Amino acid sequence: MSKNESTSTSAKILYRPIGMLGGLVSGAIAGVIFKQAWKLLTPQSRSNEAPKALKSDFNLGQVLLAAALQGAIFAFVKALVDRGGARGFQRVFGEWPGN
């Protein structure tokens, strides 16, 4: 689709439930990947639980590192799932759902 072409309103509306489902799926996938990544990064930890902001067992650096890693993984997975969903939508309906 060229930059000058715009997506029809019906395509945007039709894609909305697909996009919402993709968001749920990407969140679940990202959560699993983050937990596994955290376990690999902290094998010496007594608990494999990632630091949370309100847990006093962890220092600020650990909390911020975990938050940054989790955010990066979530953004990466969400972009991958969103892009795949949009490409699939375009193949089926012939129209890109964004723009």
Side-chain angles (χ1 to χ4, degrees):
M1 177 174 275
S2 73
K3 290 182 181 182
N4 295 336
E5 292 182 55
S6 64
T7 302
S8 70
T9 303
S10 60
K12 288 180 182 180
I13 291 171
L14 189 58
Y15 182 74
R16 194 169 292 163
I18 296 168
M20 288 173 31
L21 180 62
L24 292 172
V25 168
S26 63
I29 292 169
V32 170
I33 293 171
F34 171 69
K35 286 179 183 177
Q36 293 303 312
W38 191 256
K39 286 179 188 177
L40 288 173
L41 290 171
T42 59
Q44 74 285 359
S45 176
R46 289 175 279 143
S47 165
N48 284 330
E49 186 179 332
K52 303 231 183 333
L54 298 178
K55 292 267 189 167
S56 62
D57 302 351
F58 303 102
N59 66 41
L60 180 61
Q62 291 170 315
V63 169
L64 294 178
L65 176 63
L69 178 63
Q70 188 174 27
I73 289 171
F74 178 78
F76 179 87
V77 172
K78 180 153 177 29
L80 190 63
V81 170
D82 284 350
R83 191 65 176 204
R87 285 193 186 272
F89 183 89
Q90 184 182 35
R91 282 189 198 116
V92 171
F93 295 102
E95 199 169 348
W96 190 259
N99 300 345

